[in-house]
Every structure is written in C-alpha cells, then in structure tokens.
Amino acid sequence: MTNSTEVFVQQTVEAARPLEKALNLAEWEAATTGTEQANQRQQQAQSAYMRFWANAEIHAQANERLRAQPPSDPLLARQLRLIYLTSAKNQQDEESIEQLTRLEAEVRGQYYNFRGEVDGRALSDNELVNILKSSRDSAEVQVAWEASKRVGAQVAETVRQLARLRNAAARRQGFRDHFQRSL
C-alpha cells in the first residue's frame, strides 16, 4: 500500500507543482504591477490550480489511502494529508471556481490599485503606511489611516458576494460555512 501511496503522492505533487508555481508568479506580478493583464493572468492561474485540486478522483484517492492505512513514514503521511486537505478545500464545480476567481480578481484589482487621498493627493499604500509609521502628528496619522480604510467601501459588496459563494460551496460539502471548511 505504501508503495502505491508513494507513487500517488509523487504523481500528484509533480502535477500540482507547475500550477502552484504559475499561480505564485502570477500573484507576484499582479501584486507588484497592479495591471489588469497581470490580474487576469493571476485569475487564470488560480482557476487552473483550483480545477486541478477540485478533481474528485484525487480527493477520493487521498481520503481512501488515509482511511485504509496511513503511511508509517511521517513525511509521506503529512504529504498525503496535505493532498487530502487541499483537495477537500477545493471540491467545487467549474461555475463556482470561475465565479470565485472572477470576484477575487475584482477585489484584488481594487486593492492593488487603490490610492487613499490625503489633502487632495492620491497616495499609494506604501506612502500611507509610511505616514502611519513615522508621523508624530496625530491629525496627519488619523487622516492617513482613514484614507487607507476607504478601499473597504469600494470592495464591500464584492467581498460579501465572495463570502456567500464560499459558504454555499462549503455547505454543499456538509460544512457549516467556509470558515469551518478552512479549519
């Protein structure tokens, strides 16, 4: 059993590796450039990653192997458990994956490109954080802090939509909500 489990883990890791790398690189590019194209690439990479882990066969095999006879090798057991948990978290249909990644991309784009306004000047997040860290003027700090929080109003409805979608997907799996499924 362990030999076939080792093969299963190795094959799953090898198949997931390029998807995870592409997602991480796309996240970095989207976060550092803030361009719509980079955000779209991240959405596409995230969709591909989630579709891979939504594969019911991977989830069923990991679950079956964990229940039947968990590996005695602690590293292999940990890898198998991570495969199970990652696939469990991503068990959703194609439409949900597309909706989730689209909404997340929308929120990311708003956050990455948000500029808080202070004294009529649009400031980047880094500039706002710098004021918060270094200013000794409490009025200036308050204005900067309030400016940094205005993004919340812009993303509020989309974040609520995301929460509803995540909770619905979790309930379809028998969980109370997305938070419980994440744990």
Side-chain angles (χ1 to χ4, degrees), residues 42-62:
Q42 181 179 356
Q43 180 183 353
Q44 292 165 351
Q46 183 182 13
S47 291
Y49 178 83
M50 289 175 74
R51 276 193 303 276
F52 173 81
W53 287 112
N55 182 319
E57 181 61 29
I58 291 172
H59 181 65
Q61 278 195 46

PDB file of all heavy atoms in Angstrom, residues 42-62:
ATOM      1  N   GLN A  42      -3.328  36.135 -13.189  1.00  0.00           N
ATOM      2  CA  GLN A  42      -3.468  35.510 -11.872  1.00  0.00           C
ATOM      3  C   GLN A  42      -4.799  34.774 -11.769  1.00  0.00           C
ATOM      4  O   GLN A  42      -4.855  33.664 -11.252  1.00  0.00           O
ATOM      5  CB  GLN A  42      -3.358  36.531 -10.746  1.00  0.00           C
ATOM      6  CG  GLN A  42      -3.473  35.853  -9.386  1.00  0.00           C
ATOM      7  CD  GLN A  42      -3.361  36.788  -8.221  1.00  0.00           C
ATOM      8  OE1 GLN A  42      -3.114  37.985  -8.377  1.00  0.00           O
ATOM      9  NE2 GLN A  42      -3.552  36.262  -7.029  1.00  0.00           N
ATOM     10  N   GLN A  43      -5.856  35.363 -12.274  1.00  0.00           N
ATOM     11  CA  GLN A  43      -7.159  34.708 -12.251  1.00  0.00           C
ATOM     12  C   GLN A  43      -7.106  33.390 -13.026  1.00  0.00           C
ATOM     13  O   GLN A  43      -7.621  32.367 -12.570  1.00  0.00           O
ATOM     14  CB  GLN A  43      -8.239  35.620 -12.828  1.00  0.00           C
ATOM     15  CG  GLN A  43      -9.621  34.992 -12.825  1.00  0.00           C
ATOM     16  CD  GLN A  43     -10.682  35.862 -13.474  1.00  0.00           C
ATOM     17  OE1 GLN A  43     -10.438  37.006 -13.818  1.00  0.00           O
ATOM     18  NE2 GLN A  43     -11.858  35.301 -13.642  1.00  0.00           N
ATOM     19  N   GLN A  44      -6.477  33.399 -14.190  1.00  0.00           N
ATOM     20  CA  GLN A  44      -6.370  32.181 -14.993  1.00  0.00           C
ATOM     21  C   GLN A  44      -5.538  31.115 -14.277  1.00  0.00           C
ATOM     22  O   GLN A  44      -5.899  29.936 -14.265  1.00  0.00           O
ATOM     23  CB  GLN A  44      -5.764  32.497 -16.360  1.00  0.00           C
ATOM     24  CG  GLN A  44      -6.671  33.325 -17.234  1.00  0.00           C
ATOM     25  CD  GLN A  44      -5.946  33.942 -18.428  1.00  0.00           C
ATOM     26  OE1 GLN A  44      -4.730  33.887 -18.531  1.00  0.00           O
ATOM     27  NE2 GLN A  44      -6.723  34.538 -19.328  1.00  0.00           N
ATOM     28  N   ALA A  45      -4.435  31.543 -13.672  1.00  0.00           N
ATOM     29  CA  ALA A  45      -3.584  30.595 -12.937  1.00  0.00           C
ATOM     30  C   ALA A  45      -4.321  30.042 -11.720  1.00  0.00           C
ATOM     31  O   ALA A  45      -4.223  28.842 -11.420  1.00  0.00           O
ATOM     32  CB  ALA A  45      -2.285  31.274 -12.517  1.00  0.00           C
ATOM     33  N   GLN A  46      -5.061  30.899 -11.043  1.00  0.00           N
ATOM     34  CA  GLN A  46      -5.822  30.456  -9.875  1.00  0.00           C
ATOM     35  C   GLN A  46      -6.918  29.480 -10.294  1.00  0.00           C
ATOM     36  O   GLN A  46      -7.139  28.467  -9.628  1.00  0.00           O
ATOM     37  CB  GLN A  46      -6.426  31.657  -9.154  1.00  0.00           C
ATOM     38  CG  GLN A  46      -7.183  31.297  -7.895  1.00  0.00           C
ATOM     39  CD  GLN A  46      -7.812  32.501  -7.225  1.00  0.00           C
ATOM     40  OE1 GLN A  46      -7.893  33.591  -7.800  1.00  0.00           O
ATOM     41  NE2 GLN A  46      -8.266  32.303  -6.009  1.00  0.00           N
ATOM     42  N   SER A  47      -7.589  29.746 -11.400  1.00  0.00           N
ATOM     43  CA  SER A  47      -8.628  28.831 -11.905  1.00  0.00           C
ATOM     44  C   SER A  47      -8.031  27.465 -12.226  1.00  0.00           C
ATOM     45  O   SER A  47      -8.609  26.428 -11.864  1.00  0.00           O
ATOM     46  CB  SER A  47      -9.291  29.401 -13.162  1.00  0.00           C
ATOM     47  OG  SER A  47     -10.058  30.519 -12.865  1.00  0.00           O
ATOM     48  N   ALA A  48      -6.895  27.451 -12.898  1.00  0.00           N
ATOM     49  CA  ALA A  48      -6.246  26.185 -13.245  1.00  0.00           C
ATOM     50  C   ALA A  48      -5.850  25.413 -11.988  1.00  0.00           C
ATOM     51  O   ALA A  48      -6.050  24.194 -11.900  1.00  0.00           O
ATOM     52  CB  ALA A  48      -5.022  26.440 -14.122  1.00  0.00           C
ATOM     53  N   TYR A  49      -5.302  26.116 -11.016  1.00  0.00           N
ATOM     54  CA  TYR A  49      -4.895  25.498  -9.747  1.00  0.00           C
ATOM     55  C   TYR A  49      -6.110  24.907  -9.031  1.00  0.00           C
ATOM     56  O   TYR A  49      -6.092  23.764  -8.588  1.00  0.00           O
ATOM     57  CB  TYR A  49      -4.204  26.558  -8.886  1.00  0.00           C
ATOM     58  CG  TYR A  49      -3.761  26.080  -7.529  1.00  0.00           C
ATOM     59  CD1 TYR A  49      -2.558  25.412  -7.374  1.00  0.00           C
ATOM     60  CD2 TYR A  49      -4.532  26.314  -6.402  1.00  0.00           C
ATOM     61  CE1 TYR A  49      -2.137  24.980  -6.126  1.00  0.00           C
ATOM     62  CE2 TYR A  49      -4.127  25.896  -5.153  1.00  0.00           C
ATOM     63  CZ  TYR A  49      -2.933  25.223  -5.021  1.00  0.00           C
ATOM     64  OH  TYR A  49      -2.528  24.797  -3.773  1.00  0.00           O
ATOM     65  N   MET A  50      -7.187  25.692  -8.945  1.00  0.00           N
ATOM     66  CA  MET A  50      -8.385  25.225  -8.250  1.00  0.00           C
ATOM     67  C   MET A  50      -9.045  24.063  -8.990  1.00  0.00           C
ATOM     68  O   MET A  50      -9.529  23.120  -8.356  1.00  0.00           O
ATOM     69  CB  MET A  50      -9.374  26.378  -8.063  1.00  0.00           C
ATOM     70  CG  MET A  50      -8.904  27.400  -7.045  1.00  0.00           C
ATOM     71  SD  MET A  50      -9.998  28.836  -6.935  1.00  0.00           S
ATOM     72  CE  MET A  50     -11.392  28.105  -6.057  1.00  0.00           C
ATOM     73  N   ARG A  51      -9.051  24.108 -10.319  1.00  0.00           N
ATOM     74  CA  ARG A  51      -9.627  22.999 -11.095  1.00  0.00           C
ATOM     75  C   ARG A  51      -8.852  21.703 -10.850  1.00  0.00           C
ATOM     76  O   ARG A  51      -9.441  20.631 -10.728  1.00  0.00           O
ATOM     77  CB  ARG A  51      -9.651  23.324 -12.585  1.00  0.00           C
ATOM     78  CG  ARG A  51     -10.859  24.142 -13.009  1.00  0.00           C
ATOM     79  CD  ARG A  51     -11.015  24.173 -14.523  1.00  0.00           C
ATOM     80  NE  ARG A  51      -9.850  24.676 -15.228  1.00  0.00           N
ATOM     81  CZ  ARG A  51      -9.589  25.958 -15.432  1.00  0.00           C
ATOM     82  NH1 ARG A  51     -10.393  26.891 -14.976  1.00  0.00           N
ATOM     83  NH2 ARG A  51      -8.511  26.321 -16.087  1.00  0.00           N
ATOM     84  N   PHE A  52      -7.524  21.811 -10.786  1.00  0.00           N
ATOM     85  CA  PHE A  52      -6.717  20.629 -10.515  1.00  0.00           C
ATOM     86  C   PHE A  52      -7.124  20.013  -9.177  1.00  0.00           C
ATOM     87  O   PHE A  52      -7.379  18.815  -9.077  1.00  0.00           O
ATOM     88  CB  PHE A  52      -5.222  20.970 -10.506  1.00  0.00           C
ATOM     89  CG  PHE A  52      -4.360  19.821 -10.066  1.00  0.00           C
ATOM     90  CD1 PHE A  52      -4.028  18.819 -10.957  1.00  0.00           C
ATOM     91  CD2 PHE A  52      -3.919  19.725  -8.755  1.00  0.00           C
ATOM     92  CE1 PHE A  52      -3.252  17.729 -10.554  1.00  0.00           C
ATOM     93  CE2 PHE A  52      -3.140  18.652  -8.341  1.00  0.00           C
ATOM     94  CZ  PHE A  52      -2.815  17.647  -9.247  1.00  0.00           C
ATOM     95  N   TRP A  53      -7.186  20.844  -8.134  1.00  0.00           N
ATOM     96  CA  TRP A  53      -7.491  20.339  -6.800  1.00  0.00           C
ATOM     97  C   TRP A  53      -8.964  19.982  -6.625  1.00  0.00           C
ATOM     98  O   TRP A  53      -9.329  19.275  -5.681  1.00  0.00           O
ATOM     99  CB  TRP A  53      -7.023  21.318  -5.729  1.00  0.00           C
ATOM    100  CG  TRP A  53      -5.538  21.311  -5.607  1.00  0.00           C
ATOM    101  CD1 TRP A  53      -4.680  22.307  -5.938  1.00  0.00           C
ATOM    102  CD2 TRP A  53      -4.720  20.237  -5.130  1.00  0.00           C
ATOM    103  NE1 TRP A  53      -3.385  21.920  -5.715  1.00  0.00           N
ATOM    104  CE2 TRP A  53      -3.376  20.654  -5.209  1.00  0.00           C
ATOM    105  CE3 TRP A  53      -4.993  18.954  -4.653  1.00  0.00           C
ATOM    106  CZ2 TRP A  53      -2.317  19.839  -4.817  1.00  0.00           C
ATOM    107  CZ3 TRP A  53      -3.929  18.146  -4.258  1.00  0.00           C
ATOM    108  CH2 TRP A  53      -2.611  18.592  -4.348  1.00  0.00           C
ATOM    109  N   ALA A  54      -9.832  20.444  -7.515  1.00  0.00           N
ATOM    110  CA  ALA A  54     -11.251  20.084  -7.461  1.00  0.00           C
ATOM    111  C   ALA A  54     -11.493  18.672  -8.000  1.00  0.00           C
ATOM    112  O   ALA A  54     -12.604  18.150  -7.878  1.00  0.00           O
ATOM    113  CB  ALA A  54     -12.078  21.102  -8.254  1.00  0.00           C
ATOM    114  N   ASN A  55     -10.477  18.063  -8.556  1.00  0.00           N
ATOM    115  CA  ASN A  55     -10.592  16.723  -9.128  1.00  0.00           C
ATOM    116  C   ASN A  55     -11.057  15.739  -8.043  1.00  0.00           C
ATOM    117  O   ASN A  55     -10.336  15.470  -7.076  1.00  0.00           O
ATOM    118  CB  ASN A  55      -9.236  16.299  -9.697  1.00  0.00           C
ATOM    119  CG  ASN A  55      -9.271  14.948 -10.359  1.00  0.00           C
ATOM    120  OD1 ASN A  55      -9.893  14.007  -9.869  1.00  0.00           O
ATOM    121  ND2 ASN A  55      -8.583  14.844 -11.479  1.00  0.00           N
ATOM    122  N   ALA A  56     -12.252  15.212  -8.223  1.00  0.00           N
ATOM    123  CA  ALA A  56     -12.848  14.314  -7.230  1.00  0.00           C
ATOM    124  C   ALA A  56     -12.041  13.025  -7.063  1.00  0.00           C
ATOM    125  O   ALA A  56     -12.023  12.442  -5.979  1.00  0.00           O
ATOM    126  CB  ALA A  56     -14.288  13.994  -7.612  1.00  0.00           C
ATOM    127  N   GLU A  57     -11.371  12.585  -8.117  1.00  0.00           N
ATOM    128  CA  GLU A  57     -10.586  11.349  -8.045  1.00  0.00           C
ATOM    129  C   GLU A  57      -9.377  11.528  -7.116  1.00  0.00           C
ATOM    130  O   GLU A  57      -9.066  10.642  -6.323  1.00  0.00           O
ATOM    131  CB  GLU A  57     -10.135  10.934  -9.449  1.00  0.00           C
ATOM    132  CG  GLU A  57      -9.332   9.658  -9.488  1.00  0.00           C
ATOM    133  CD  GLU A  57     -10.098   8.439  -8.977  1.00  0.00           C
ATOM    134  OE1 GLU A  57     -11.332   8.392  -9.095  1.00  0.00           O
ATOM    135  OE2 GLU A  57      -9.428   7.525  -8.445  1.00  0.00           O
ATOM    136  N   ILE A  58      -8.699  12.664  -7.218  1.00  0.00           N
ATOM    137  CA  ILE A  58      -7.565  12.925  -6.320  1.00  0.00           C
ATOM    138  C   ILE A  58      -8.055  12.934  -4.880  1.00  0.00           C
ATOM    139  O   ILE A  58      -7.452  12.322  -3.994  1.00  0.00           O
ATOM    140  CB  ILE A  58      -6.872  14.256  -6.674  1.00  0.00           C
ATOM    141  CG1 ILE A  58      -6.151  14.136  -8.022  1.00  0.00           C
ATOM    142  CG2 ILE A  58      -5.893  14.681  -5.580  1.00  0.00           C
ATOM    143  CD1 ILE A  58      -5.589  15.444  -8.549  1.00  0.00           C
ATOM    144  N   HIS A  59      -9.155  13.621  -4.663  1.00  0.00           N
ATOM    145  CA  HIS A  59      -9.713  13.717  -3.310  1.00  0.00           C
ATOM    146  C   HIS A  59     -10.108  12.339  -2.774  1.00  0.00           C
ATOM    147  O   HIS A  59      -9.768  11.986  -1.641  1.00  0.00           O
ATOM    148  CB  HIS A  59     -10.919  14.665  -3.318  1.00  0.00           C
ATOM    149  CG  HIS A  59     -11.539  14.839  -1.978  1.00  0.00           C
ATOM    150  ND1 HIS A  59     -10.888  15.428  -0.923  1.00  0.00           N
ATOM    151  CD2 HIS A  59     -12.769  14.484  -1.514  1.00  0.00           C
ATOM    152  CE1 HIS A  59     -11.678  15.442   0.125  1.00  0.00           C
ATOM    153  NE2 HIS A  59     -12.825  14.871  -0.204  1.00  0.00           N
ATOM    154  N   ALA A  60     -10.781  11.559  -3.595  1.00  0.00           N
ATOM    155  CA  ALA A  60     -11.224  10.229  -3.161  1.00  0.00           C
ATOM    156  C   ALA A  60     -10.035   9.316  -2.874  1.00  0.00           C
ATOM    157  O   ALA A  60     -10.039   8.584  -1.868  1.00  0.00           O
ATOM    158  CB  ALA A  60     -12.126   9.615  -4.229  1.00  0.00           C
ATOM    159  N   GLN A  61      -9.024   9.355  -3.731  1.00  0.00           N
ATOM    160  CA  GLN A  61      -7.846   8.502  -3.509  1.00  0.00           C
ATOM    161  C   GLN A  61      -7.115   8.888  -2.231  1.00  0.00           C
ATOM    162  O   GLN A  61      -6.704   8.017  -1.459  1.00  0.00           O
ATOM    163  CB  GLN A  61      -6.895   8.599  -4.699  1.00  0.00           C
ATOM    164  CG  GLN A  61      -7.280   7.720  -5.847  1.00  0.00           C
ATOM    165  CD  GLN A  61      -6.122   7.574  -6.827  1.00  0.00           C
ATOM    166  OE1 GLN A  61      -4.979   7.344  -6.434  1.00  0.00           O
ATOM    167  NE2 GLN A  61      -6.439   7.706  -8.108  1.00  0.00           N
ATOM    168  N   ALA A  62      -6.938  10.176  -2.008  1.00  0.00           N
ATOM    169  CA  ALA A  62      -6.255  10.620  -0.792  1.00  0.00           C
ATOM    170  C   ALA A  62      -7.050  10.199   0.436  1.00  0.00           C
ATOM    171  O   ALA A  62      -6.475   9.683   1.414  1.00  0.00           O
ATOM    172  CB  ALA A  62      -6.056  12.130  -0.821  1.00  0.00           C
TER     173      ALA A  62
END
